[in-house]
Structure formats: C-alpha cells, structure tokens
Amino acid sequence: MKKYEAVIGLEIHAQMRTKTKMFCGCSTTFGKEPNSQTCPVCIGMPGVLPVINRKAVEFTVRAGLALGCKISSYSRFARKNYFYPDLPKGYQVSQYELPICEGGAVVLNMEDEQRKIELTRIHMEEDAGKNIHEGMKDFSCVDLNRAGVPLMEIVTEPQIRSPKEASAFMKKLRSVLRYLDVCDGNMEEGSLRCDANVSLRPVGSTALGVKAEIKNINSFKFVEKAIEYEIWRQEEVLKEGGRVKQETRLYNTTTGTTESMRSKEEAHDYRYFPEPDLVPIVISNALRNEIKATIVELPDEKVTRYVNDFGLPLYDAELLSQEKDTALWFEEAVNKGGNPKAISNWMMGELMRLLNETTTRIEDCKVTPEHLTGLIKLVDSGAISVKIGKTVFEEMFNSGEQAEKIVKSKGLLQISNEGELDSVIDGILSQYSAEVERFKAGEVKLTGFFVGEVMKQTKGKANPKLVNEILKKKLG
C-alpha cells in the first residue's frame, strides 16, 4: 500500500495570439532576429507609458467565459519586482490581488473516472525576455523580443493527483485555447508552457506538504516525466526521514531528473504594488456578452453531440474533437452524406497515419471530406474491398485524385462475378490438393490459406464474402 499521495497544481503560461505586445505596438512574430522587435516601452526605458492591448483583454475574457470563470468587472495590473538579466526594468507587469478571471474548471475523462480540476484564477501578464547561453563560451546574451508578449497565466487548485492527470489537463486546456483562437498552443515555440507545483502528503491526510515548483516545462511528455521524477525524489527524501525544501527546480531532459534552481519566493518577496502607469480594467456587461457571443462550440460539447447525434463511441468522439480543424473536417464529411462511423474509422486509421508519417496538417491534406465519402461509397457498394480501399486512399492522399477515377484508371474494381471466382478457386484447389485433403481431415483453419491464395492471384480484388461462400460450397 502506498504511504504518500501526490498533490499537484499547475500554472500554465499561454501566449495570446495577438499581433502586438501587451503594452506597446511591437510585433509578437516568433523567430525574428534577436532584439529586432523591441521599443522603449517593452524594454522599460524611464519615462515611457504603457497602453493596454484591448485584444489581449478580450482574449482572456473569452477564455475565462469558456472555462466557466467569474469575470471581474474591475481588475488591475501590479508590478512584480525582481531582478533578472532578461527583465532589464526590474519588474514584470502582472495582475495580483485583482485578477480578471476567478474560478472555473476543466473536466477530464480519465480511464476510470471523470475528474473536475478547478481553476483558482486566470490573470494577464507580460512575458520576460530570454537569456541565451547555448553556443556562448564566457558570456551570455539576452534577446528581448519576447519581453512584453501578452500571456494568460492559468492557475489550478492543487487537485491533480498524478503525472498522467497533469498531462491530460494540459492537453485539454490546449485544445480549448486553440478552439477559442486565443493561443496557438505551439509548445516548441514556447507559446504554451507550464510550472508544476508538486508536494507529497501521507495518504489520508488533508494538510498540504512542502511543495517544489518545476519551472518552464514545454511538452506533454516532459510534464509527465518531470512530475514522475519529482514524486519519486520527494518520496525518497521523506522515507529517509529528511524534509522536502520549498524551492524552484528545473527539469533536465537529458538526465530525466529535476535539479535545484533557487529557493522558492513568496508573494511578499516580489513587493507587489499597483502599476501606477496603467488604468484599471472595467468589463461591462455589454462587453462580456459581446465576447461571449464569439465563443464557438467547444470540444466537450462536440463530444456530446457526436455521441448523441452520430452514435460514435466516446473514444472516437474525443479523438475527433481534440483539434478544431479535425472536427470540422469530420463534420464536413458527414454533411456530404457519409456514414459517421465509417468516416471516423477512415480518419482515425488511414488519414491520421498518413498525416503523421508525412507531418502534414489536415488543412493542407489533398484528400478532401468529399473524396473520403466517395471512397466509402465505393467500399459500401462492394465495388472495391476494404483492402483495395486502403490502396486507393493512399493514392488519393498523394495525388488528390477522386477515388472513382483512381479505381477506374487502375482497374481496381472488385471481382464479384461468381463464375470468374469459381474458375480461380478451382485452379487453387487443384494446385493445393494435399492441403484440400488436410482440410477434409479436419484442419479447417486452412480456409484462411485458401482465401489468401485467391486474394494473391486476384491482386486483392476478389470479393472476400463471395470467396468464402464458394470455398464453403466446394470444400463441404
């Protein structure tokens, strides 16, 4: 029996999909030459006056409404004071005691149960710059292109109980933010990253243990691995009678371990005070309603509709609704008259396989929803077998041609002529007379061998149902 249980809370930093920074007009485009997207405001020169990005406020309210948060009618920014080389002005503009969104939750469908993870708050803040150490020998450089980029910080209650649950939370949140078009969710570019607060407590206890914070984790896999290691590390400390230190740690992806970075700061260490250069934010009911009207159907709602209206299994519905573009592709195929379950099978099988193998986005795929429904009709009508259908699908994926055209040009129509199959099967039974005798002696599993031979000789075009019927008749 386990002696300790993990208590995990996440702080997710989501870069908002605005064209300009939080308090100035500098571009937020990723990957530009270092320090080419800066101005006196975002590098904090004396005497400058920041101006709030209205789009960032609207995006945060949209996310808050979609996640069931209470939207504060009055919120304001504060200065979070600390010194770090990538923050030349010595403070970060963030929200503190009056955040823009409070409460809310994310519901996770885990294997054995449904889990509701409550949110503490969502607040806005600006990002810091980036220290560059890689490739430098005796010095480091600072790129301030990210300084001032608008972030939403989404903070959960300490209700997550396992590394897998933390990863599932990140995936679900990313999906919702991408549906809302407020964050591109690109973790490789740092648009979505997470700090994980991990502590252990004796099973059955309600008191929280001492937590360690793992900073800046930028992949689902690393979230899981970092938390797994940290739970193990703290467990070892406690088993040996030691005490876990409150500290900030980093995940080393090479060694798979967490390493101490610094002692953990408390809020009072940052000496927060209201930002004097920015006016408070007032959200009227009219603006709240206007933003609410822009919220599209979200993944959970799509899952319910796919199960109820299309009769899809929960697994299919969840997989197809994870990404908005995939869900819209599926819905368009259904609207073209395709059978929802057949479309789901082809999408989760051949389409996803080829998209992954060629690292193609579904919106760039040459196969259209109409192409797929055309292929499904050929299979359902018996014109081609499922096996030939897979060959045709791959050809459609590479060429963008319609299924019917490929089938005609390559002569792939299924052989359903009984006389033609009779002749092929007679030849095979004559060629493999010894196997026929073994079959008659009781080795019925040889049916598969005979079917395989028919398929080989007809290049997969024989109607398998008819082949089985004829074989049964001939072999008795």
Side-chain angles (χ1 to χ4, degrees):
M1 182 181 283
K2 287 191 71 173
K3 191 173 177 185
Y4 298 102
E5 68 173 358
V7 178
I8 301 159
L10 298 180
E11 296 171 14
I12 317 282
H13 287 95
Q15 178 180 331
M16 288 188 252
R17 210 169 185 170
T18 57
K19 289 182 179 168
T20 55
K21 293 185 179 179
M22 190 74 226
F23 303 115
C24 65
C26 289
S27 170
T28 56
T29 304
F30 178 80
K32 294 295 179 184
E33 188 180 342
N35 299 310
S36 62
Q37 297 180 160
T38 57
C39 72
V41 174
C42 55
I43 62 175
M45 297 295 283
V48 296
L49 284 176
V51 177
I52 299 171
N53 186 328
R54 180 187 172 96
K55 191 56 86 177
V57 175
E58 290 177 359
F59 281 176
T60 311
V61 172
R62 191 189 297 173
L65 288 169
L67 294 167
C69 302
K70 172 184 170 292
I71 308 300
S72 304
S73 55
Y74 179 93
S75 65
R76 69 181 177 207
F77 284 101
R79 288 190 182 180
K80 181 181 180 181
N81 296 279
Y82 65 96
F83 177 76
Y84 212 63
D86 61 7
L87 190 68
K89 61 187 176 185
Y91 63 86
Q92 179 186 22
V93 179
S94 179
Q95 291 193 305
Y96 178 49
E97 84 282 29
L98 292 174
I100 193 164
C101 306
E102 293 179 272
V106 170
V107 175
L108 306 176
N109 288 319
M110 303 304 289
E111 280 174 12
D112 47 355
E113 61 176 335
Q114 192 174 73
R115 296 269 295 134
K116 183 179 179 184
I117 308 299
E118 293 174 303
L119 305 182
T120 309
R121 57 193 270 155
I122 303 177
H123 65 257
M124 295 179 286
E125 64 183 27
E126 60 176 347
D127 206 350
K130 183 181 178 185
N131 294 325
I132 302 171
H133 312 293
E134 201 172 314
M136 313 292 168
K137 282 187 178 174
D138 302 321
F139 54 90
S140 293
C141 291
V142 179
D143 176 8
L144 295 176
N145 278 352
R146 286 194 71 87
V149 162
L151 302 176
M152 269 184 260
E153 183 169 336
I154 300 154
V155 183
T156 77
E157 290 291 298
Q159 295 175 340
I160 296 170
R161 292 290 174 267
S162 70
K164 205 169 181 182
E165 212 167 273
S167 166
F169 179 91
M170 283 283 287
K171 287 176 186 168
K172 185 68 173 287
L173 184 66
R174 179 178 183 270
S175 173
V176 171
L177 295 178
R178 282 169 59 83
Y179 263 77
L180 296 169
D181 208 22
V182 298
C183 170
D184 65 19
N186 191 330
M187 299 179 84
E188 288 177 0
E189 294 179 1
S191 300
L192 192 73
R193 53 191 197 266
C194 138
D195 302 340
N197 290 296
V198 181
S199 66
L200 294 188
R201 65 183 175 194
V203 173
S205 168
T206 54
L208 295 174
V210 178
K211 68 183 177 185
E213 181 189 44
I214 314 168
K215 289 290 284 183
N216 281 334
I217 316 172
N218 65 350
S219 87
F220 301 130
K221 180 182 159 191
F222 292 154
V223 165
E224 222 166 302
K225 294 288 178 194
I227 295 174
E228 264 174 25
Y229 176 82
E230 186 56 24
I231 290 172
W232 175 84
R233 185 191 72 83
Q234 292 188 20
E235 213 166 11
E236 291 301 302
V237 171
L238 295 173
K239 276 182 191 169
E240 291 170 11
R243 298 179 66 181
V244 174
K245 289 181 195 166
Q246 180 162 329
E247 62 182 344
T248 300
R249 300 179 70 86
L250 287 176
Y251 180 61
N252 184 326
T253 56
T254 307
T255 60
T257 60
T258 64
E259 297 165 357
S260 184
M261 179 185 174
R262 59 174 185 251
S263 60
K264 173 70 182 166
E265 298 86 352
E266 299 287 351
H268 58 77
D269 293 330
Y270 291 119
R271 294 167 291 117
Y272 281 99
F273 64 85
E275 165 61 59
D277 291 338
L278 290 168
V279 293
I281 299 166
V282 176
I283 305 291
S284 65
N285 282 335
L287 179 58
R288 187 185 291 113
N289 292 336
E290 190 184 312
I291 296 170
K292 194 172 184 179
T294 66
I295 296 176
V296 297
E297 185 182 37
L298 296 172
D300 281 349
E301 295 162 329
K302 281 195 184 293
V303 168
T304 303
R305 185 161 62 85
Y306 290 178
V307 170
N308 292 340
D309 294 1
F310 301 145
L312 290 188
L314 183 62
Y315 176 81
D316 293 33
E318 287 194 326
L319 200 66
L320 292 172
S321 61
Q322 271 176 10
E323 291 289 338
K324 187 163 73 172
D325 289 332
T326 306
L328 294 178
W329 202 100
F330 165 73
E331 289 177 22
E332 194 180 337
V334 173
N335 288 338
K336 297 286 180 191
N339 173 293
K341 181 55 182 158
I343 293 168
S344 169
N345 290 344
W346 282 95
M347 286 184 71
M348 294 197 303
E350 295 307 292
L351 181 60
M352 296 298 178
R353 177 180 69 80
L354 291 167
L355 290 175
N356 288 335
E357 283 177 9
T358 57
T359 58
T360 306
R361 299 181 309 169
I362 196 164
E363 56 268 37
D364 299 327
C365 175
K366 289 179 182 172
V367 179
T368 65
E370 195 171 5
H371 286 163
L372 178 58
T373 53
L375 175 67
I376 291 171
K377 280 175 190 166
L378 288 174
V379 173
D380 287 349
S381 68
I384 59 172
S385 65
V386 174
K387 188 177 176 187
I388 292 290
K390 288 182 181 178
T391 307
V392 173
F393 190 93
E394 193 150 345
E395 179 69 31
M396 285 163 59
F397 189 87
N398 293 325
S399 66
E401 291 286 358
Q402 294 211 10
E404 199 171 340
K405 190 174 176 185
I406 295 168
V407 168
K408 277 183 186 168
S409 67
K410 294 189 177 290
L412 297 173
L413 281 174
Q414 185 163 263
I415 303 170
S416 295
N417 182 302
E418 194 166 340
E420 193 176 342
L421 287 178
D422 249 345
S423 166
V424 174
I425 291 170
D426 283 344
I428 288 168
L429 296 183
S430 165
Q431 182 183 352
Y432 295 101
S433 55
E435 282 76 10
V436 171
E437 289 307 315
R438 283 166 53 201
F439 177 90
K440 288 182 176 173
E443 277 191 63
V444 290
K445 63 181 182 185
L446 282 168
T447 304
F449 167 77
F450 295 124
V451 172
E453 282 303 310
V454 175
M455 287 301 174
K456 202 187 291 177
Q457 292 199 16
T458 59
K459 297 181 180 169
K461 293 191 286 181
N463 182 325
K465 190 180 168 197
L466 196 52
V467 169
N468 274 292
E469 285 173 5
I470 297 171
L471 276 170
K472 197 174 172 186
K473 224 183 294 175
K474 289 182 182 293
L475 292 170

